[in-house]
Amino acid sequence: MTEDEKIVLLSTMTGQQGDVLSAYLAIAEDKVLRKLYPFDDTIKGIPERYHMTQVEIAAYLLNKRGAEGETAHSENGVSRSYEDGDVPPSLYRDIIPYAGVVK
């Protein structure tokens, strides 16, 4: 999936447009890479199989803007709560950390 395809998909999912989408995709890429390669910060670029996870994390973060860290909220019959102050573990469940050999 190309970067433009990710932006179109993210725009469709969130209704947002512009540079903010690229910024949130970059944040999500960093989060995926830190989970995937927890002990190697030299690797750049996410493997193809995690591109959709990147978009899902970016959408989650975009939709959560303005309510960062919210743990519960009820108003007019609408309730909100978040699994975690950051990205919930359920979005990380498909990411299998790379295990290397210590040199």
Side-chain angles (χ1 to χ4, degrees):
M1 178 181 300
T2 68
E3 197 69 19
D4 288 340
E5 290 172 327
K6 291 178 196 176
I7 289 173
V8 168
L9 181 57
L10 186 56
S11 177
T12 302
M13 292 169 70
T14 64
Q16 298 285 321
Q17 294 181 356
D19 293 338
V20 70
L21 298 177
S22 295
Y24 274 88
L25 281 170
I27 292 167
E29 179 177 14
D30 180 65
K31 290 182 180 298
V32 171
L33 286 171
R34 283 190 283 133
K35 180 71 173 178
L36 188 58
Y37 304 105
F39 303 108
D40 188 352
D41 58 359
T42 63
I43 297 175
K44 306 296 181 210
I46 303 175
E48 178 79 26
R49 70 184 286 185
Y50 296 115
H51 285 189
M52 189 57 73
T53 301
Q54 175 192 11
V55 172
E56 289 173 346
I57 290 172
Y60 175 84
L61 293 172
L62 270 164
N63 288 329
K64 199 173 102 164
R65 273 193 323 177
E68 291 86 0
E70 187 172 284
T71 57
H73 176 87
S74 295
E75 185 176 333
N76 296 327
V78 175
S79 296
R80 291 189 181 107
S81 60
Y82 297 106
E83 286 184 51
D84 197 325
D86 192 35
V87 177
S90 61
L91 287 174
Y92 284 130
R93 73 178 171 263
D94 293 332
I95 299 174
I96 301 166
Y98 177 77
V101 177
V102 178
K103 296 178 183 176

